[in-house]
Amino acid sequence: MIDAEQVLKLPALWDLTVMPKALEEMLSLLDRSSVGAGADIVVDLGAVERFDSAGLAALLELQRRASASGSKLRWQAMPKNLHELARVYGLSQWFAETGQAPSSNHLESWAQQSPSGTSQVPAL
């Protein structure tokens, strides 16, 4: 669900056992949200208990969809195993965690820029 503070809260299970349905639900919420282009959306992973490479790939797809609509995802309460999994796949820079809320933290975007100036999210 994306709440009034533009926080997308992921479910406890974010792995192969719930994919692709869980991803489709989150993409649908993202598409239907009233968040405007250029907005920051915090992805709260605080409830995530189980996570695997399918979940990592799903997060990359969420980022692609947000970038396509002109929004930026910011990661919050990321489990240690996600940090480790991202490191193993060479994706640590794509999952730098932000502060508690997008309005209180104005960090530079962690998204790398391509020569054309567009954000490039890697494929897993």
Side-chain angles (χ1 to χ4, degrees), residues 13-117:
L13 298 180
W14 193 251
D15 64 6
L16 186 59
T17 65
V18 297
M19 295 300 161
K21 185 178 180 188
L23 174 61
E24 290 168 0
E25 289 173 2
M26 291 298 129
L27 289 172
S28 178
L29 284 172
L30 194 60
D31 290 344
R32 290 189 324 234
S33 74
S34 59
V35 177
D40 284 355
I41 300 169
V42 172
V43 178
D44 183 356
L45 293 107
V48 174
E49 296 173 5
R50 212 166 66 200
F51 194 96
D52 63 12
S53 59
L56 184 64
L59 292 180
L60 290 171
E61 184 57 32
L62 284 173
Q63 178 57 37
R64 280 187 201 94
R65 185 71 60 95
S67 292
S69 69
S71 297
K72 295 177 187 171
L73 297 185
R74 306 286 182 187
W75 312 105
Q76 178 177 299
M78 195 169 294
K80 288 182 182 181
N81 65 339
L82 168 59
H83 284 290
E84 181 60 20
L85 190 60
R87 185 192 65 74
V88 167
Y89 280 102
L91 299 170
S92 296
Q93 74 275 14
W94 294 98
F95 295 101
E97 198 166 355
T98 63
Q100 293 299 315
S103 60
S104 65
N105 192 348
H106 300 287
L107 297 175
E108 281 186 21
S109 170
W110 47 262
Q112 295 178 346
Q113 298 293 312
S114 73
S116 65

